[in-house]
Amino acid sequence: MSVSPSLSPTDIIIFGGNGDLALRKILPALYYRYRDGQLPENSRIVGIGRAVLTPESQYTDMVKKACVEHVAPADFDAAVWKQFAQHIHYAAVDAEDSKAYAQLTAFFTKQSHLVRVFYLATPADVFGTICRNLHQAGLIIPDARVVLEKPIGHDLMSFRAINNEVLKYFEERQVYRIDHYLGKETVQNLMILRFANNLFEKVWNSGAVDHVQITVAESLGVESRARYYDKYGAVRDMIQNHLLQLLCLIAMEPPAKLEPDILRDEKLKVLRSLRPFTGRDTIRDTVRGQYRAGAVGGQPVLGYIEDIGQKKSDTDTFVALKAHVDNWRWSGVPFYLRTGKRLPQRYSEIVVQFRPVPHQIFPDQGAEQQNNKLIIRLQPDESIKLEMITKVPGPGGYRLKPVHLNLSLSEEFEDRTPDAYERLLMDVVRGNPTLFMRSDEVEAAWVWTESILKGWDDNNQKPKPYIAGSWGPADASALMTQDNRRWHETD
Ligand code: BG6
């Protein structure tokens, strides 16, 4: 294992170190980066949690179990693990107790590192307190960085309060607001598709595009996150961040350079062009749903309220909506977004539906059949398909049929696709904020999301039930059919 020589030794301090995110995602990602020689030697990983775990090896054992579970068996190497384990430490600290930070100060003075990453894998309402306590304990060195998990806040006001508190102690350049969708290889590939191929730019606008669909469907329910989820719901958990980021990458203007702020400026312009929902718009253009008991993948599953162990809840587990990007390029092109839990299958897909040819010379076979479509599958199996209209061979006149030009990226590139967290963690270590959200981006996303929340509130719009294993409430299809369109049916 040769270690990347250019990176400074780094301390990665994970608040919420024994929580679900740390064990499922962050630590396995660090294992992979260590295995591939990217984590500088002399780096240390410090899990922070409330629980007292003595000896420290209790924590290492916990991390080992998580790595065995979440690293592919072929990639888990006992010898590498042994070396990796030597970099892992644990400190029992109540993040809200300022005095408890003294032991961290003692730990860090033992070895002075050049880069210090504080990863806050905790609920956002303690971000401010942790940052204040880190500051008071003198732990924020010039090369310190703080990573904040989404969603930051519950609405615009709480986002501002948390963000302002964090920015009292860290400069904007030190703050890495994570949206793990931006770390997905396939999502980065959206930029390559658009800005490294000359083919699409000329048709990437309202002149040629009829509408765009973005679907992030999940078959799982809320799992063990009931407390968090019930407070947030699908619109805050998914639309405000992941789906809006995907929308930005599809809708943004080509950046002049691949520089963090230049790219983020372009995304910000899209977010600021989103038309807010006013008056009764949400009734017409948004659908809220909540799953009831049903079956997914042939297995019976409980409904949402049974899952969270409550009698009643008005939280959305499904949202579909029609958004508008009011700018020169996209005027009149609706963006339909859809996400939900307990849908029939897990997949994320973007469909760019092109307009029909301006003058049709072949017999009419229904408008739908005669338009091109670009279907970008982000997960689970990455592919890019272009639906082309062709002639069905043989007699019978000109019978048209859409067929696929099909590029399967998983077949083309056989290497393992790294998890989003691997890329993002290394970007933090390297100090590259390109794939992280700037304050003003998150703020703009909240401004627009809040117009939905307000519409729901003002119009008393409650989630409609849908059966687990279906594609959401019937209104989600109506959202499209009222515009003479329909959701792309995945294979
Ligand atoms: C997280 C949400 O940000 O993204 C989860 O909080 C969701 O509710 C998850 O399940 C989906 O991520 P992925 O990478 O599995 O598509």
Side-chain angles (χ1 to χ4, degrees):
M1 184 175 48
S2 65
V3 174
S4 170
S6 52
L7 294 176
S8 314
T10 304
D11 278 332
I12 302 174
I13 301 108
I14 309 169
F15 284 84
N18 46 7
D20 179 67
L21 179 72
L23 295 172
R24 208 166 34 87
K25 290 287 184 187
I26 304 172
L27 289 149
L30 288 171
Y31 166 85
Y32 269 115
R33 292 303 93 224
Y34 179 80
R35 182 200 72 160
D36 292 351
Q38 272 197 320
L39 209 59
E41 271 307 334
N42 301 327
S43 293
R44 298 183 297 183
I45 298 164
V46 188
I48 307 270
R50 268 199 191 158
V52 177
L53 300 177
T54 32
E56 201 176 58
S57 61
Q58 268 194 58
Y59 183 62
T60 324
D61 291 346
M62 201 184 266
V63 178
K64 182 174 184 186
K65 190 165 164 265
C67 286
V68 168
E69 196 178 334
H70 298 291
V71 167
D75 294 332
F76 188 81
D77 181 311
V80 174
W81 164 259
K82 227 169 141 189
Q83 288 177 355
F84 178 60
Q86 288 170 10
H87 298 261
I88 300 176
H89 304 268
Y90 180 78
V93 172
D94 175 353
E96 293 182 66
D97 174 8
S98 59
K99 293 190 203 77
Y101 286 63
Q103 57 171 311
L104 293 182
T105 316
F107 179 83
F108 286 118
T109 44
K110 273 189 215 152
Q111 202 175 344
S112 131
H113 279 61
L114 293 177
V115 176
R116 199 172 282 173
V117 174
F118 298 104
Y119 197 122
L120 309 194
T122 62
D125 46 13
V126 292
F127 287 173
T129 312
I130 296 179
C131 293
R132 188 178 57 241
N133 287 341
L134 289 172
H135 165 76
Q136 282 172 3
L139 289 164
I140 305 179
I141 54 175
D143 229 341
R145 286 148 210 180
V146 65
V147 184
L148 308 180
E149 267 293 333
K150 54 110 311 220
I152 306 174
H154 187 252
D155 52 20
L156 182 60
M157 223 170 80
S158 54
F159 162 71
R160 282 188 180 148
I162 295 166
N163 201 46
N164 289 342
E165 192 65 15
V166 171
L167 289 174
K168 279 188 199 161
Y169 310 110
F170 287 91
E171 293 169 28
E172 175 68 31
R173 66 168 177 90
Q174 297 175 297
V175 184
Y176 289 71
R177 297 176 195 82
I178 213 164
D179 180 316
H180 80 276
Y181 266 56
L182 293 180
K184 287 181 190 269
E185 290 283 325
T186 53
V187 174
Q188 292 164 50
N189 213 7
L190 286 176
M191 281 194 289
I192 313 290
L193 179 78
R194 287 198 55 204
F195 307 132
N197 292 287
N198 200 9
L199 195 61
F200 296 113
E201 177 52 22
K202 307 291 177 289
V203 289
W204 211 257
N205 54 50
S206 60
V209 174
D210 176 74
H211 74 273
V212 175
Q213 300 180 16
I214 303 179
T215 296
V216 177
E218 296 186 273
S219 53
L220 291 178
V222 287
E223 308 301 293
S224 57
R225 298 161 72 225
R227 235 178 47 178
Y228 153 79
Y229 195 87
D230 201 47
K231 197 170 155 210
Y232 287 81
V235 75
R236 295 179 173 95
D237 185 49
M238 298 293 287
I239 302 264
Q240 189 271 347
N241 33 80
H242 304 328
L243 277 91
L244 281 190
Q245 287 297 317
L246 296 177
L247 183 150
C248 284
L249 294 176
I250 292 293
M252 69 196 263
E253 293 302 315
K257 281 187 194 146
L258 193 58
E259 278 180 12
D261 279 335
I262 294 183
L263 195 100
R264 296 189 294 179
D265 285 346
E266 293 303 341
K267 287 199 290 159
L268 178 64
K269 286 184 205 160
V270 175
L271 292 166
R272 288 188 173 157
S273 309
L274 284 168
R275 187 188 303 168
F277 292 81
T278 56
R280 295 174 65 78
D281 290 356
T282 55
I283 297 182
R284 189 192 55 222
D285 289 341
T286 74
V287 179
R288 297 180 80 184
Q290 189 187 86
Y291 63 83
R292 297 287 182 264
V296 177
Q299 297 299 316
V301 294
L302 296 176
Y304 175 71
I305 44 180
E306 294 88 55
D307 271 348
I308 63 166
Q310 303 282 330
K311 289 214 170 63
K312 190 180 172 318
S313 164
D314 284 336
T315 298
D316 36 279
T317 62
F318 175 96
V319 176
L321 57 85
K322 177 159 77 163
H324 298 275
V325 180
D326 283 338
N327 65 15
W328 192 291
R329 186 186 283 265
W330 295 113
S331 173
V333 178
F335 283 70
Y336 297 92
L337 313 187
R338 171 173 71 154
T339 187
K341 300 221 180 261
R342 286 289 187 228
L343 300 184
Q345 68 189 94
R346 172 181 184 255
Y347 80 95
S348 303
E349 200 168 76
I350 299 172
V351 176
V352 180
Q353 171 73 64
F354 292 97
R355 293 184 187 283
V357 292
H359 173 63
Q360 182 59 275
I361 58 170
F362 300 106
D364 183 15
Q365 302 184 4
E368 271 277 343
Q369 272 214 355
Q370 299 176 8
N371 308 346
N372 301 114
K373 242 184 223 171
L374 180 68
I375 304 155
I376 308 165
R377 168 70 74 117
L378 303 173
Q379 59 185 28
D381 39 345
E382 187 184 11
S383 67
I384 299 171
K385 290 181 184 170
L386 183 60
E387 215 167 86
M388 304 287 299
I389 313 303
T390 55
K391 178 183 180 303
V392 179
Y398 286 104
R399 286 175 297 132
L400 308 190
K401 183 170 188 265
V403 295
H404 286 145
L405 276 179
N406 194 351
L407 170 64
S408 161
L409 287 138
S410 41
E411 277 170 29
E412 188 66 28
F413 302 106
E414 285 176 355
D415 294 349
R416 182 185 82 87
T417 304
D419 186 77
Y421 280 90
E422 295 178 43
R423 163 75 198 253
L424 294 174
L425 279 161
M426 289 316 296
D427 279 354
V428 180
V429 172
R430 286 187 203 102
N432 178 357
T434 309
L435 299 177
F436 294 82
M437 290 180 295
R438 224 168 40 193
S439 251
D440 45 10
E441 274 185 89
V442 185
E443 164 120 5
W446 270 124
V447 167
W448 180 78
T449 308
E450 206 160 76
S451 75
I452 304 173
L453 296 170
K454 183 167 184 313
W456 286 348
D457 221 29
D458 292 352
N459 297 314
N460 196 22
Q461 208 176 326
K462 305 278 184 222
K464 302 231 165 108
Y466 63 96
I467 305 294
S470 71
W471 285 110
D475 288 6
S477 312
L479 183 70
M480 293 296 247
T481 49
Q482 73 193 7
D483 295 344
N484 289 326
R485 297 179 175 119
R486 61 187 170 85
W487 293 105
H488 172 70
E489 278 171 29
T490 185
D491 321 312

